[in-house]
Amino acid sequence: MRGFQLFLGILSVLLPSICRADHPRPWQMYYQSPVTPVMEHLYDFHLTLLVIEGGIVFLVAVLLIYVIIRFRASRNAAPSKVAHNTLLEVIWTAIPVLVLVFIAFPSFKLLYMMDVTPKADLTIKAIGNQWYWTYEYPDHNIHFDSNIIPDDQLKPGQMRLFEVDNRVVVPTHTNIRIITTSSDVIHSWAIPAFGIKRDSVPGRLNETWFNVNKEGVYYGQCSELCGVKHGFMPIVVEAVSQAEFDKWLASQKNPSQASPHAG
Amino acid sequence: MSYALTADYTHDDHRPTGWRRWVLSTNHKDIGTMYIIFGAFGAFFGATLSLLIRLQLAHPHGTLLSGNEYQIYNVVITAHGLLMIFFFVMPVLIGGFGNWFIPLMIGAPDMAFPRLNNISFWLLIPSLILLTLSIVVGSGAGTGWTFYPPLSSIGQPDAAVDFMLVSLHLAGASSILGAINFITTIFNMRAPGMTMHKAPLFVWGILVTAFLLLLAVPVLAGAITMLLTDRGFGTSFFEPAGGGDPLLFQHLFWFFGHPEVYIMILPAFGIISQVISTFARKAVFGYLGMAYAMVSIGVIGFVVWAHHMFAVGLDVNANAYFTAATLIIAVPTGIKIFSWIATMWGGSLTFETPMLYAIGFVILFVIGGVTGVTLANAGVDISLHDTYFVVAHFHYVLSMGALFGVFAGFYYWFPKMTGKMIPNWMGNLHFWLTFIGVNIIFFPMHFLGLAGMPRRIPDYPDAYSGWNMVASMGAVLTFSAGLYFIYIVFYGLKWGKKAPANPWGEGATTLEWTLASPPPFHTFETQPHIP
């Protein structure tokens, strides 16, 4: 068990070094770095799964290679007649059950953690439309549309298909409740670095939450096929300090003040 | 299970000729052959579309399928999915190999309802025509193969979606009739002495599949009908503005859709068991465990559907239940994997093409299986749902699992069906090209999905371009292997050496190998007696 934890530790050090990012990087092979407690748990649990499952694939591959070499006709001309072994069959039924139980407990823990929104300090409503998002901050009487920036209007350094004109701005270290729905077909609001994905279903209010622990800009894309521009309605969240967030709120409430975040 | 056969069938061997032999066919072998040719056409159609998809995605800003604001891309992915499922895998595995070999393996003269068998096949022709229309009529059906409303109702009002839905109605009717036929045949027409517990595992695979079809497809038919009336007759089953619920459709669809994935893989499980036993020259290890593992996969397959819906906002306890139920499927699947290895253990293995495909199946199905365990966890699934990780997962179990089952069965039974041998080296080369090709396509998709790339997008942020390029190169290789396969088949038919009754040696113990290759038009008119 200790060796296993050590192995996990080494893996978790190695993997993020390939992929430390809040948006995907070229040739990325693993998750974006987690920036919410939920994604941190998810990341660790997925690492556990990866080790267990890698072990299973390795075991099967080794057995197959051994069988192929050892029992080829040229080395084993007379096939055995054994076609049953009750003990063996019980073992390869029971051990997978134990492995699955080992997986199930942290899995349920993660699931229930994701589900229960802690006392929320800020609520944001994300409404999917064909093909842009509308955001409302009901506590602050703010609402705006968030449209993709077309390729020909991108500024240097901006990422194609990821940038929007109006970002969702949130304070860090704050419990934020997301309520999502749709005005037409089903969309899905997702930010990979947060470990969030919730379908926006017309006629239904779906709830999820996050709490960003690192300032930065985080990118996601609509994750349910919603028509021709499904690939062109990105989701961008900018996490800032509470002070900056307050400034942003003020600028939104008083449109005469130019907002630094509006494109 | 090895039997001598002495009966001579030349007397009164009535066989229609010309178009009547095929169009009016009531012969299980002829109908099986038509299913296989039909399925090969569907496969070529679907594979061409998949090549188009990969070419579109080979680099960012692809323009190949960008017509009509990328609607063409959505139409192509929709048709690709439906073609591969309903017009390739199901016709070949169930209609083709099932029709050919279920009667032969159980020592029956034909299927229980030969005329029903005929209509089952011929329903597929108008079905495929309607599906083709759904690609070309109006702006085409670009809903994805899951056609969730409201995108498939108010979102795509033109007639293309109606054509697609009616096409699936016909394909579904064909499947239900076929399922009834298989169940009746297997239960009632086994040769004297062949108890269920002596039946070959391919028979078990088809039997469980037929039950899944019989119970699942009518639910799809209901959902399609409700969607059609929503679209055309002003009902609002799935329309929230009229008190309906879009998620109701998803529940109905996946109540069919999850058993459907087992419908595609269980016959392949059966084929792999026959092939491994044959080339290991050993009886299948743990036969009863293997048979009942398939039965339990079939049963559990009906109670896990909402694991396709972890992101829709179900109650957390429902998500927890569907996580647990889904994880349990790994147990019977594990039993099958270990039993296949144990069948090879102690055997006397030779590596003809069917065996290469069977071994390839085992290892690739394990990879697809363990990513399935990852996705079974509702919490983790939130990060991977609707990303390329899911695409990688289900192509490992289908494009490698079911497809390798098809190829294993095809190379295994080709000598029996045609009386000709395919040179081993040609088949083996085809195996290696395909094996390498599909892995290059689908393994990098795990990375793309983990990094967050959503599925069903026609263009992607530049960061995802590297692995997409790799996948597209794999697609070109795999497609080339497919063209080579067509050449192999024609080579075998034209120049292949004449096949003996049993080309595979003492390991091939099932009844079909007691017959000549190809078998006479009518077989087992006198049923063999199984000791």
Side-chain angles (χ1 to χ4, degrees):
Chain A
M1 205 58 207
R2 207 182 174 79
F4 180 67
Q5 278 169 353
L6 185 70
F7 183 53
L8 273 187
I10 294 170
L11 256 186
S12 62
V13 173
L14 283 177
L15 280 168
S17 66
I18 321 169
C19 62
R20 190 174 296 282
D22 37 12
H23 57 80
R25 302 290 158 95
W27 301 104
Q28 182 162 332
M29 294 169 73
Y30 203 60
Y31 280 129
Q32 301 172 27
S33 342
V35 293
T36 62
V38 164
M39 190 59 197
E40 278 162 6
H41 273 78
L42 199 161
Y43 189 100
D44 290 344
F45 177 50
H46 184 270
L47 225 45
T48 313
L49 287 176
L50 196 62
V51 172
I52 294 171
E53 293 166 4
I56 293 168
V57 173
F58 182 74
L59 173 73
V60 171
V62 166
L63 286 173
L64 273 178
I65 291 168
Y66 176 77
V67 163
I68 289 169
I69 295 171
R70 173 64 186 80
F71 297 107
R72 53 198 310 135
S74 52
R75 276 191 70 180
N76 194 37
S80 103
K81 299 267 177 240
V82 179
H84 306 279
N85 186 326
T86 309
L87 180 65
L88 198 56
E89 291 178 56
V90 169
I91 288 173
W92 72 44
T93 309
I95 290 181
V97 170
L98 295 178
V99 172
L100 291 175
V101 170
F102 180 77
I103 289 174
F105 280 98
S107 176
F108 290 144
K109 210 174 137 194
L110 172 67
L111 178 62
Y112 281 87
M113 172 194 180
M114 286 170 131
D115 182 70
V116 182
T117 309
K119 195 182 155 319
D121 308 305
L122 175 68
T123 299
I124 298 174
K125 195 171 167 193
I127 304 159
N129 313 283
Q130 283 180 319
W131 290 271
Y132 61 95
W133 293 93
T134 300
Y135 294 103
E136 292 176 4
Y137 289 61
D139 313 332
H140 303 281
N141 202 18
I142 294 173
H143 66 95
F144 56 86
D145 291 341
S146 176
N147 278 286
I148 188 172
I149 300 182
D151 289 2
D152 52 5
Q153 292 167 28
L154 285 174
K155 299 196 186 82
Q158 287 190 318
M159 289 179 293
R160 212 172 62 84
L161 302 180
F162 263 155
E163 305 286 353
V164 295
D165 53 3
N166 294 307
R167 293 166 171 173
V168 179
V169 179
V170 299
T172 54
H173 303 289
T174 307
N175 290 330
I176 293 158
R177 176 197 288 131
I178 289 283
I179 306 268
T180 186
T181 186
S182 164
S183 66
D184 38 51
V185 304
I186 301 174
H187 304 270
S188 188
W189 200 86
I191 296 276
F194 295 177
I196 279 195
K197 185 173 291 136
R198 194 55 98 209
D199 285 2
S200 313
V201 184
R204 204 174 257 261
L205 293 175
N206 273 338
E207 178 179 323
T208 185
W209 70 282
F210 63 85
N211 185 332
V212 195
N213 52 30
K214 195 170 139 234
E215 288 181 31
V217 184
Y218 303 98
Y219 297 87
Q221 291 169 279
C222 176
S223 296
E224 182 63 62
L225 179 62
C226 57
V228 292
K229 289 189 188 162
H230 163 54
F232 305 88
M233 45 184 294
I235 298 146
V236 185
V237 175
E238 183 171 353
V240 297
S241 65
Q242 185 66 43
E244 249 187 277
F245 177 71
D246 292 338
K247 257 200 300 193
W248 177 81
L249 275 185
S251 75
Q252 291 292 309
K253 281 176 179 163
N254 186 357
S256 63
Q257 238 175 299
S259 160
H261 300 282
Chain B
M1 276 182 260
S2 138
Y3 331 88
L5 195 85
T6 50
D8 176 29
Y9 292 114
T10 49
H11 69 281
D12 193 26
D13 188 12
H14 171 74
R15 56 190 294 174
T17 52
W19 66 272
R20 286 167 183 278
R21 172 176 172 187
W22 302 101
V23 176
L24 308 181
S25 181
T26 51
N27 181 295
H28 72 102
K29 302 184 200 72
D30 281 355
I31 292 173
T33 302
M34 290 195 289
Y35 263 114
I36 291 172
I37 294 169
F38 176 84
F41 181 76
F44 188 71
F45 196 169
T48 305
L49 297 185
S50 64
L51 183 67
L52 291 179
I53 295 169
R54 280 319 320 166
L55 291 179
Q56 162 71 22
L57 297 176
H59 52 86
H61 224 143
T63 51
L64 181 69
L65 304 177
S66 63
N68 197 5
E69 288 188 306
Y70 293 107
Q71 169 73 3
I72 290 180
Y73 179 83
N74 290 347
V75 172
V76 167
I77 58 166
T78 305
H80 163 71
L82 293 172
L83 280 166
M84 287 303 198
I85 295 165
F86 291 96
F87 300 97
F88 165 43
V89 174
M90 289 170 71
V92 172
L93 282 178
I94 306 167
F97 296 146
N99 256 309
W100 252 98
F101 295 105
I102 291 302
L104 296 188
M105 280 182 159
I106 63 174
D110 205 305
M111 295 286 284
F113 308 117
R115 286 161 193 258
L116 200 64
N117 206 8
N118 176 289
I119 189 80
S120 295
F121 171 75
W122 285 106
L123 276 174
L124 284 180
I125 305 293
S127 176
L128 182 59
I129 291 171
L130 286 168
L131 189 81
T132 311
L133 284 174
S134 84
I135 301 172
V136 295
V137 164
S139 54
T143 56
W145 84 277
T146 51
F147 50 91
Y148 287 176
L151 181 64
S152 60
S153 51
I154 55 169
Q156 303 232 342
D158 75 45
V161 177
D162 299 298
F163 280 116
M164 176 182 79
L165 296 176
V166 179
S167 163
L168 293 182
H169 253 321
L170 290 182
S174 155
S175 293
I176 293 169
L177 298 180
I180 291 168
N181 216 340
F182 279 117
I183 292 170
T184 315
T185 308
I186 293 169
F187 277 160
N188 296 303
M189 294 178 67
R190 280 170 286 122
M194 182 176 283
T195 57
M196 271 320 291
H197 285 176
K198 283 184 182 174
L201 284 174
F202 181 63
V203 177
W204 276 93
I206 291 287
L207 179 67
V208 178
T209 302
F211 269 105
L212 297 192
L213 282 169
L214 191 66
L215 298 173
V217 176
V219 178
L220 174 72
I224 290 176
T225 307
M226 289 153 86
L227 188 53
L228 278 169
T229 62
D230 269 14
R231 288 174 55 81
F233 302 98
T235 59
S236 51
F237 292 109
F238 309 130
E239 176 53 57
D245 182 0
L247 295 191
L248 171 63
F249 176 84
Q250 296 188 19
H251 281 292
L252 293 172
F253 182 86
W254 287 114
F255 189 85
F256 149 80
H258 199 77
E260 173 64 26
V261 306
Y262 295 119
I263 286 164
M264 288 188 276
I265 204 64
L266 286 168
F269 280 174
I271 292 172
I272 299 303
S273 296
Q274 306 300 145
V275 169
I276 287 183
S277 158
T278 297
F279 295 98
R281 288 160 188 81
K282 253 182 94 213
V284 172
F285 188 94
Y287 167 87
L288 281 180
M290 288 293 255
Y292 286 99
M294 285 196 277
V295 174
S296 56
I297 288 172
V299 172
I300 304 169
F302 273 105
V303 292
V304 298
W305 73 90
H307 68 211
H308 298 268
M309 302 166 59
F310 283 148
V312 303
L314 295 180
D315 181 82
V316 66
N317 295 321
N319 280 345
Y321 159 73
F322 282 107
T323 295
T326 307
L327 285 173
I328 288 169
I329 291 189
V331 176
T333 314
I335 292 174
K336 297 204 70 75
I337 298 286
F338 292 124
S339 297
W340 282 321
I341 296 173
T343 305
M344 288 188 259
W345 195 280
S348 187
L349 304 179
T350 53
F351 302 98
E352 285 86 347
T353 311
M355 185 60 163
L356 289 186
Y357 269 108
I359 295 171
F361 174 98
V362 173
I363 186 66
L364 296 180
F365 196 81
V366 169
I367 297 176
V370 295
T371 55
V373 171
T374 298
L375 292 169
N377 298 285
V380 178
D381 182 71
I382 287 298
S383 68
L384 299 171
H385 175 81
D386 252 320
T387 70
Y388 263 78
F389 192 90
V390 174
V391 178
H393 159 71
F394 71 73
H395 281 92
Y396 261 82
V397 288
L398 294 177
S399 183
M400 282 107 137
L403 179 74
F404 277 35
V406 167
F407 279 133
F410 188 84
Y411 283 104
Y412 183 58
W413 284 315
F414 184 84
K416 179 55 58 190
M417 294 187 291
T418 64
K420 298 289 180 70
M421 300 295 291
I422 288 173
N424 209 38
W425 71 269
M426 290 181 93
N428 288 4
L429 177 63
H430 174 237
F431 165 77
W432 285 110
L433 289 176
T434 309
F435 184 84
I436 294 166
V438 288
N439 278 294
I440 296 176
I441 305 174
F442 296 112
F443 205 78
M445 289 186 184
H446 293 115
F447 307 147
L448 289 171
L450 285 164
M453 180 174 165
R455 37 185 311 212
R456 295 169 162 174
I457 54 174
D459 190 7
Y460 45 80
D462 301 348
Y464 298 126
S465 59
W467 292 120
N468 269 297
M469 185 68 206
V470 172
S472 294
M473 291 193 286
V476 173
L477 177 61
T478 309
F479 193 78
S480 312
L483 296 178
Y484 172 58
F485 174 71
I486 297 175
Y487 170 74
I488 292 178
V489 173
F490 280 104
Y491 181 94
L493 288 173
K494 200 158 165 54
W495 295 294
K497 279 194 289 193
K498 198 175 159 6
N502 178 3
W504 306 128
E506 73 272 28
T509 56
T510 41
L511 276 175
E512 76 268 31
W513 305 108
T514 62
L515 301 165
S517 298
F521 195 67
H522 295 294
T523 42
F524 296 129
E525 282 166 313
T526 310
Q527 291 203 301
H529 193 85
I530 312 301

